[in-house]
Amino acid sequence: VILQGNGDKAFCAGADFDSLTEGGDIVGSFARMEEASSKAVAAVAEIEVPIVAAIRGACFGGGVQMALLADIRIAADAARFCIPAVALGIVYPLEAVSKITQLCGPGAAKRLLIGAERVDAAEAKAIGLIEEVVPADELDQRVAGFAAQICEQSRAAARAYKAIVDGFAAGEKAGSLAPLQDAAHAEGDIIARLEEVARTRAAKG
């Protein structure tokens, strides 16, 4: 799955906080916004296949939360990142805080969350928030190529790796993740792929 914004202006600029003050029902508007955000996050989190995020433009607030759900984050060199929730007294969703701390370490996580510091793509890569930076005009080609490379692999093994790596990152032990390996081997196409390798080698002489 390729996760990206609609157009070149932004991956996701986050919540429209201006709309919360319209109509006078700020509490109700905030609750509805939180509910919609939670549903969107849950929908992406349930995707079992690898997700590659193509990030261009602004990736702010809830946009960072969505990007964190991807397995690989590739950004255009002009992308920028910021989590301004603290300015409004909002504590960012705890699962997202955990992921940022895991990826970037406590110090960088506090820079982003407490300082609401805006960082460019190069800095985001340096602190571990994203995996790769490419020129803006090469982003689509790079993401499509990487996604195609994933699609050439065993689907069962790719899904298993996604779950296993996430499990280890969350502190799970190998024993609890072994069933995922076993299930991938049972479901997968190991024999067929090995036979194809043998046929290719034989054809090459």
Side-chain angles (χ1 to χ4, degrees), residues 92-156:
Y92 212 49
L94 296 186
E95 287 189 3
V97 174
S98 175
K99 187 64 178 287
I100 293 171
T101 305
Q102 178 192 117
L103 291 173
C104 306
K110 290 173 184 176
R111 282 175 56 194
L112 295 170
L113 295 165
I114 298 175
E117 188 169 25
R118 183 177 298 195
V119 299
D120 61 18
E123 179 67 8
K125 182 178 184 298
I127 63 176
L129 188 62
I130 60 176
E131 281 69 48
E132 187 176 346
V133 180
V134 299
D137 59 357
E138 298 177 12
L139 180 63
D140 289 339
Q141 181 179 1
R142 171 58 181 146
V143 171
F146 189 76
Q149 182 176 330
I150 292 174
C151 290
E152 292 176 358
Q153 315 310 319
S154 163
R155 294 173 65 93

Side-chain angles (χ1 to χ4, degrees), residues 30-44:
F30 184 78
R32 288 189 291 274
M33 181 195 71
E34 288 282 275
E35 181 181 5
S37 176
S38 295
K39 287 181 178 178
V41 168
V44 177

Side-chain angles (χ1 to χ4, degrees), residues 40-122:
V41 168
V44 177
E46 289 177 359
I47 297 174
E48 295 182 349
V49 299
I51 302 172
V52 182
I55 304 171
R56 52 168 49 87
C59 183
F60 290 175
V64 176
Q65 184 182 7
M66 293 298 291
L68 290 170
L69 296 171
D71 301 290
I72 303 292
R73 289 163 288 278
I74 303 176
D77 51 9
R80 56 202 188 280
F81 302 80
C82 183
I83 304 172
V86 68
L88 294 174
I90 297 171
V91 176
Y92 212 49
L94 296 186
E95 287 189 3
V97 174
S98 175
K99 187 64 178 287
I100 293 171
T101 305
Q102 178 192 117
L103 291 173
C104 306
K110 290 173 184 176
R111 282 175 56 194
L112 295 170
L113 295 165
I114 298 175
E117 188 169 25
R118 183 177 298 195
V119 299
D120 61 18

Side-chain angles (χ1 to χ4, degrees), residues 5-32:
N6 183 15
D8 295 334
K9 190 174 182 180
F11 175 77
C12 176
D16 180 8
F17 287 109
D18 290 339
S19 68
L20 295 180
T21 60
E22 297 175 357
D25 184 15
I26 296 177
V27 173
S29 295
F30 184 78
R32 288 189 291 274

